[in-house]
Amino acid sequence: MSFNFDSHGQHLVLLLSGRRNVWKQELALSYKVSRGETKWEGRAYLPWSYFPPNVTKFNSFAIHGSKDKRNYEALSPVPQHELQQGQKPDFHRLEYFKPFSFNTLLGEEWKQPESELWLIEKPDV
């Protein structure tokens, strides 16, 4: 899954199957923005149905600024010693996503709700 949003409420939600293979696009998203004098905050509410079953890896990214002042951040970035000169940011490097379990956040007894989106329409892999 990939989603992008900005301080004006514009957003893009994609479901991906593997690396860079867009399976679904322009999905709806509940999103709220609050703006202050010098910063803004956005909250996106993702339906459980957007998550594929058995999520085991996760990463998160942010882009700040524009043009030559653009700054890229990642929860789990590519290690510094693996960066090559001139390398551009790439949010699809699945090998750098870290292990993740919703049970860590929601308790060991929690079970992910089944999603008809993923049960009925399986992406081509």
Side-chain angles (χ1 to χ4, degrees):
M1 176 186 338
S2 173
F3 67 97
N4 304 305
F5 53 92
D6 68 14
S7 63
H8 303 287
Q10 296 177 336
H11 64 274
L12 172 65
V13 179
L14 305 172
L15 295 184
L16 304 169
S17 176
R19 188 187 311 239
R20 292 187 184 86
N21 184 22
V22 176
W23 174 52
K24 296 265 185 198
Q25 57 188 351
E26 299 179 18
L27 295 162
L29 181 69
S30 177
Y31 177 75
K32 294 183 181 179
V33 175
S34 59
R35 286 188 203 82
E37 295 265 338
T38 58
K39 69 179 195 174
W40 66 276
E41 181 179 301
R43 291 181 182 239
Y45 301 92
L46 300 170
W48 281 114
S49 61
Y50 288 4
F51 290 92
N54 305 315
V55 173
T56 60
K57 290 192 170 197
F58 181 84
N59 208 347
S60 181
F61 305 95
I63 302 172
H64 306 282
S66 60
K67 298 185 182 177
D68 61 338
K69 294 185 180 183
R70 184 162 283 180
N71 183 31
Y72 298 89
E73 295 179 315
L75 180 63
S76 301
V78 175
Q80 287 290 323
H81 69 276
E82 293 187 31
L83 292 174
Q84 298 177 8
Q85 188 170 351
Q87 183 175 341
K88 303 281 188 212
D90 184 349
F91 303 123
H92 301 276
R93 301 285 304 268
L94 303 177
E95 64 271 28
Y96 296 107
F97 283 39
K98 298 291 184 199
F100 174 81
S101 171
F102 282 115
N103 295 95
T104 304
L105 300 173
L106 303 170
E108 289 303 317
E109 299 300 316
W110 179 83
K111 300 278 188 239
Q112 183 175 342
E114 288 188 355
S115 166
E116 289 188 23
L117 179 69
W118 294 92
L119 291 174
I120 295 171
E121 303 179 49
K122 298 198 182 200
D124 295 329
V125 282

